[in-house]
Amino acid sequence: MRRVVPCQRFVCFEEEDWFVRLHVTLAGEAGRLVEAARHCVGACDTNEQVRALQSLEGALETLVRVHYVAGIGQAPGADAPKVTPALLMGRMHRFLPPSPPELGLASEAEARAVRVYCASGIDQPMVLHLLGVHRGGHAIGRFREWQASADLPTPHRAFLADVRCCTPMRERVEAAVGGERLAVQELARLELAHNSCIDMALRLFTRRYELVRALLGVDALATSWQHERGLIQEARLRLLVERREMEGPRRGLPTRAHAYKREPTERGR
């Protein structure tokens, strides 16, 4: 971040430079995410899908670390830029365009909050699609869809459209499970790789929410964030449990997970 030097200023605050440095650095690191997305789109077999998901997780972790360097989400006492983010939006909001009325946002304050949350560009809709996260109708989701269709640069929108034409990784894995084409070991590898991506994506999106709170107050986007976080968590896979539920009846075995646990007196039999 320290290598980024803003050339123009609107409000002449150090907080403005800090905000610009953060998002220019995120844009500079987004190339790894784009390559990981291409890898996911082209992955066909289990090994390729696992490697693609691992590369996606690594790219997401890089973006999380950029936020940490900017002081977003760091532990108390850690080295961080000495800025007061709330000062920035008190001046910067005058330069922001009004929100489109068709989005139905509750207020201009909410519009400013979703702009900050989604300011990193196509990374959010791209990751959410690849991981099979439902879009949702909450304020963040509505603004993100409008941004993806009307507000982003044309090449970015075109690339996102290409990614969205492909089946999400989650659906491809579930289809393979439904067709019983995967061994238990393959299921375990795919589930671990996918759920690790979900966890890392949640860390990244949490940093975006913490940025919003730092700029606009602790109550900003609270309800919408609860919906967003819930949708991301729901995208986790439970492949091994589902396989057990399918196989149990065929073999005359119990189908509930707790039925496979032995009582202390039964151990060793």
Side-chain angles (χ1 to χ4, degrees):
M1 280 184 60
R2 294 183 179 88
R3 292 181 295 177
V4 178
V5 180
C7 296
Q8 294 180 327
R9 287 180 167 182
F10 287 101
V11 295
C12 299
F13 281 178
E14 174 58 27
E15 285 74 11
E16 179 185 7
D17 290 354
W18 165 80
F19 187 85
V20 172
R21 288 191 192 103
L22 168 61
H23 288 88
V24 170
T25 305
L26 288 171
E29 298 289 355
R32 289 186 61 191
L33 193 65
V34 171
E35 286 303 314
R38 290 196 177 104
H39 195 178
C40 288
V41 168
C44 297
D45 59 36
T46 300
N47 290 331
E48 278 298 311
Q49 288 173 345
V50 169
R51 284 195 290 267
L53 287 168
Q54 289 172 342
S55 66
L56 181 61
E57 180 189 0
L60 289 169
E61 185 176 11
T62 299
L63 300 184
V64 171
R65 292 186 182 278
V66 171
H67 285 83
Y68 286 155
V69 171
I72 304 300
Q74 278 191 336
D79 185 30
K82 293 178 172 57
V83 294
T84 306
L87 292 177
L88 175 62
M89 197 52 67
R91 297 284 186 90
M92 184 63 79
H93 73 87
R94 297 177 178 86
F95 298 93
L96 298 177
S99 63
E102 62 269 21
L103 294 182
L105 300 177
S107 63
E108 282 304 313
E110 185 175 63
R112 291 193 287 271
V114 293
R115 281 189 183 278
V116 170
Y117 185 92
C118 300
S120 52
I122 67 170
D123 60 330
Q124 293 186 21
M126 183 170 61
V127 168
L128 293 177
H129 174 77
L130 289 172
L131 297 179
V133 179
H134 294 299
R135 298 182 187 181
H138 53 298
I140 296 172
R142 296 198 306 273
F143 182 86
R144 188 161 47 220
E145 287 308 304
W146 170 81
Q147 183 186 50
S149 63
D151 197 47
L152 292 174
T154 301
H156 293 199
R157 297 203 303 268
F159 179 77
L160 178 60
D162 289 342
V163 171
R164 284 181 163 178
C165 285
C166 300
T167 304
M169 295 292 288
R170 188 175 192 273
E171 292 183 16
R172 278 189 271 171
V173 174
E174 288 177 331
V177 173
E180 302 181 5
R181 298 195 302 270
L182 300 178
V184 173
Q185 292 82 357
E186 293 175 315
L187 286 180
R189 293 175 61 209
L190 281 170
E191 182 173 308
L192 177 61
H194 182 274
N195 288 346
S196 295
C197 275
I198 290 290
D199 293 340
M200 193 59 67
L202 190 57
R203 285 177 61 186
L204 175 60
F205 283 67
T206 301
R207 302 292 84 76
R208 299 305 302 175
Y209 177 57
E210 289 173 347
L211 175 63
V212 169
R213 296 181 69 192
L215 286 164
L216 294 157
V218 296
D219 296 327
L221 285 186
T223 302
S224 188
W225 166 245
Q226 293 301 321
H227 288 290
E228 176 97 329
R229 183 173 62 180
L231 290 172
I232 296 172
Q233 291 172 333
E234 287 174 5
R236 292 179 63 86
L237 287 171
R238 298 172 65 251
L239 301 177
L240 294 176
V241 173
E242 291 171 0
R243 169 62 67 87
R244 181 181 294 163
E245 293 288 338
M246 289 189 298
E247 292 292 333
R250 299 177 189 175
R251 300 180 182 178
L253 300 174
T255 58
R256 293 186 179 277
H258 68 75
Y260 289 83
K261 298 180 181 178
R262 293 185 178 184
E263 296 295 330
T265 56
E266 297 178 314
R267 293 175 184 167
R269 294 184 185 179

